[in-house]
Amino acid sequence: MALALSYTGSGAALVALTLYVQQTQGSGTAVAALLIAEGAPRMLGPLVGGLAERLELRRLMVGVDLSQAAVFAMIALLPPFAVLLGLAAITAILQTTYGPARTTAVPALVESDELLRANALTGMAQNLYVALGPLIGGLLFAAVGAAPALLFNAATFVASALLTTRMPAVTPEPHDEGREGLLAGARTGFRYAMSEPLTRTVVLTMFAILSFIALDNVALVFLVRETLGGSAASYGLVSAVFGVGMLVASLTIARGSRFSAAHLFLISLFFSTAGTLLTGLAPAIAAVVVAQLISGSGNGIDIVANETILHQQVPRRMLGRVAGLLSTATSAGMAISMGLGGVIVDATSPRAAFLIAAAGGAAVMAAAAPVLLRAGRR
């Protein structure tokens, strides 16, 4: 419940902030600067992930939630653009700190045979960031402006903190690396993740697949609006359907799955690649809707699968750092694809960008399949 509230509010706030910057600054460069401020601090995942192994998790999560509420309340004052960018970067650091803490808390709260379903439920909550948050943010911005949308997000963080106080305390496990600084601990976590075949495959696969698949963040609007002649409403529908696919996938797994986490991760790669290919080949908006539903399902499955793999493979004393590393790999892959997306679309076409993304996704899937199949059988 806490995650559902905070992720919905964050999705609303990002849309409201993006619309506010576009309206007041009037340039693509300004919007890009906002997205960079939101994205660059996420590279600190392995470093701040170490906090989840050193601090009591309930207190850490409540503290981050309340800090987020305070920062978004300041952003709601709509300060000068440079100050707004700085505050946005602080929110990204806080979010990057919260993610490993949430990941580390789950296996401490549920039995091992409940991990897949538990991660499906938390995945559903995260999916509201895509499926519901942007809709609320857009409606609030259109009706009452940016400040109320940002205050709505601050309120969701306060509510999330209050709900999290009802969670049992989760104390860190003692370990030999306890005297290491955060930087040295991050290096230790990286070496551990790269030494384990399945963990290494998950981290590198997420980086590589998103370096290709996330091209759709740039290409989709051009495909819908220019190639297929769709309206702004059509683009909104297509974007929302992706989030619906994520929710449906998480709900399906939450009801029970006969597949292992490793096999589910491979299935997610197939769905994401197939959806990307079908989007590039789609002759009409209706076909894009179906294709994006498939892509969204793949995204929803991989959120559940890769977190469960970490829970099953990584000792709790390392879990925060490895979860932070996975978050950083994901963000780095998306940054590469979005940075190149505009260049590829301009140099070729939206359809070509999707086909290039699908080809890259297929290559990544083929490289990861042997390890995932062996792990699933075990």
Side-chain angles (χ1 to χ4, degrees):
M1 291 172 65
L3 286 171
L5 283 169
S6 60
Y7 275 111
T8 300
S10 295
L14 179 60
V15 166
L17 267 179
T18 303
L19 291 169
Y20 172 74
V21 170
Q22 186 273 330
Q23 184 182 79
T24 57
Q25 302 298 314
S27 74
T29 302
V31 173
L34 173 66
L35 295 177
I36 291 170
E38 286 269 351
R42 299 180 193 277
M43 299 297 110
L44 298 174
L47 190 65
V48 297
L51 295 174
E53 301 159 10
R54 298 163 184 256
L55 304 176
E56 196 276 303
L57 292 180
R58 181 178 61 186
R59 187 176 302 166
L60 175 60
M61 294 164 72
V62 169
V64 170
D65 272 342
L66 293 178
S67 299
Q68 288 268 58
V71 175
F72 272 102
M74 288 188 280
I75 295 176
L77 298 174
L78 303 179
F81 184 59
V83 176
L84 188 149
L85 290 180
L87 292 173
I90 292 172
T91 68
I93 293 172
L94 290 169
Q95 289 165 9
T96 305
T97 303
Y98 188 94
R102 178 208 70 225
T103 299
T104 305
V106 171
L109 298 174
V110 304
E111 301 295 339
S112 59
D113 61 349
E114 297 173 327
L115 281 173
L116 196 60
R117 296 181 68 189
N119 286 324
L121 291 170
T122 59
M124 287 173 63
Q126 293 179 64
N127 296 343
L128 294 175
Y129 181 88
V130 178
L132 185 59
L135 175 62
I136 293 175
L139 291 174
L140 283 174
F141 184 87
V144 289
L150 296 166
L151 288 174
F152 166 76
N153 189 30
T156 65
F157 279 116
V158 173
S160 175
L162 291 174
L163 284 167
T164 304
T165 60
R166 302 181 63 180
M167 185 181 92
V170 182
T171 55
E173 288 189 345
H175 52 81
D176 295 338
E177 298 92 0
R179 295 185 180 86
E180 284 186 326
L182 286 178
L183 186 58
R187 288 195 295 266
T188 301
F190 178 82
R191 287 195 297 268
Y192 172 83
M194 293 299 103
S195 69
E196 296 292 326
L198 183 54
T199 308
R200 180 176 65 243
T201 298
V202 169
V203 172
L204 296 181
T205 298
M206 287 303 296
F207 168 74
I209 195 81
L210 286 171
S211 296
F212 290 103
I213 297 293
L215 285 172
D216 65 356
N217 287 308
V218 178
L220 186 61
V221 66
F222 292 98
L223 179 72
V224 172
R225 299 284 279 136
E226 295 182 4
T227 305
L228 299 176
S231 64
S234 297
Y235 175 66
L237 172 64
V238 168
S239 300
V241 163
F242 187 92
V244 171
M246 294 173 68
L247 281 172
V248 169
S250 296
L251 179 60
T252 301
I253 298 171
R255 296 180 64 182
S257 171
R258 60 188 179 88
F259 295 105
S260 68
H263 282 165
L264 280 173
F265 187 47
L266 184 58
I267 291 169
S268 79
L269 300 179
F270 175 79
F271 273 46
S272 294
T273 300
T276 301
L277 175 62
L278 292 173
T279 301
L281 298 175
I285 298 294
V288 176
V289 168
V290 174
Q292 285 296 294
L293 186 65
I294 295 171
S295 288
S297 299
N299 196 185
I301 294 169
D302 86 54
I303 289 174
V304 178
N306 62 42
E307 289 229 340
T308 304
I309 289 171
L310 294 193
H311 289 153
Q312 293 172 342
Q313 297 293 314
V314 181
R316 188 177 148 202
R317 62 184 176 81
M318 288 275 190
L319 191 52
R321 284 169 285 176
V322 176
L325 175 63
L326 179 61
S327 174
T328 293
T330 300
S331 298
M334 293 186 68
I336 289 172
S337 63
M338 286 191 283
L340 295 176
V343 176
I344 292 173
V345 169
D346 290 342
T348 57
S349 69
R351 286 195 189 280
F354 275 100
L355 297 179
I356 291 169
V364 173
M365 179 173 61
V371 175
L372 296 175
L373 288 171
R374 283 196 299 272
R377 284 195 294 271
R378 288 199 302 271

